[in-house]
Amino acid sequence: MSQAATAQKPEAQPETRGGVVPYISVDGAVKASEFYQKAFGAEEVARQPVDDKGRTMHIHLYVNGGSLMLSDPYPEYGYPWQAPQGCTMTLRVDDIDFWWKRGVEAGMEVVTPVEVMFWGDRYGQYRDPFGFLWALVSAVK
């Protein structure tokens, strides 16, 4: 190995947490990261630098014990922005009232208010400013 090759060690990557890890494309990954930190108490653990167009290709967050990864769209590389559809980001939480209130205060749009559902859990849905639908679910106490 050349001296130059050994001098460039890759940075240690944060642990990826969870079974299925959502990797979402949002129009404004940095803004989305900041929003998720406010709405969900997310912790940003990695970020690629912003490019000359204000985009970043990778942000890694921890949300409620799991990983969530974000990227801005890069149409010139085959990844154009598309409106989110066909999925719901679901968080199982212990204190649904706390999580719900924090999300609403951060700017989530209520879609389905929290209520006890036919399957026995408390459940509600709201939409973030980037178009993603989020569901909170909690056992009835």
Side-chain angles (χ1 to χ4, degrees), residues 49-130:
V50 174
D51 69 11
D52 60 352
K53 294 180 180 177
R55 306 173 301 183
T56 185
M57 65 183 300
H58 180 73
I59 296 177
H60 185 164
L61 303 172
Y62 290 153
V63 179
N64 194 33
S67 288
L68 171 64
M69 300 188 190
L70 319 171
S71 174
D72 280 293
Y74 283 81
E76 67 272 29
Y77 295 108
Y79 298 98
W81 185 84
Q82 297 176 4
Q85 57 185 337
C87 70
T88 301
M89 310 292 276
T90 302
L91 295 172
R92 179 166 279 283
V93 297
D94 289 334
D95 185 349
I96 196 169
D97 296 316
F98 170 79
W99 282 77
W100 187 261
K101 182 176 187 263
R102 181 172 58 183
V104 169
E105 287 175 353
M108 292 292 227
E109 171 195 351
V110 175
V111 175
T112 304
V114 174
E115 59 183 275
V116 177
M117 296 306 221
F118 65 90
W119 62 84
D121 287 329
R122 293 186 69 209
Y123 178 91
Q125 290 183 341
Y126 42 30
R127 189 175 318 280
D128 70 30
F130 307 93

Side-chain angles (χ1 to χ4, degrees), residues 24-41:
I24 60 175
S25 179
V26 295
D27 190 16
V30 170
K31 288 180 184 176
S33 174
E34 292 165 356
F35 180 80
Y36 296 148
Q37 289 174 56
K38 185 176 178 183
F40 299 127

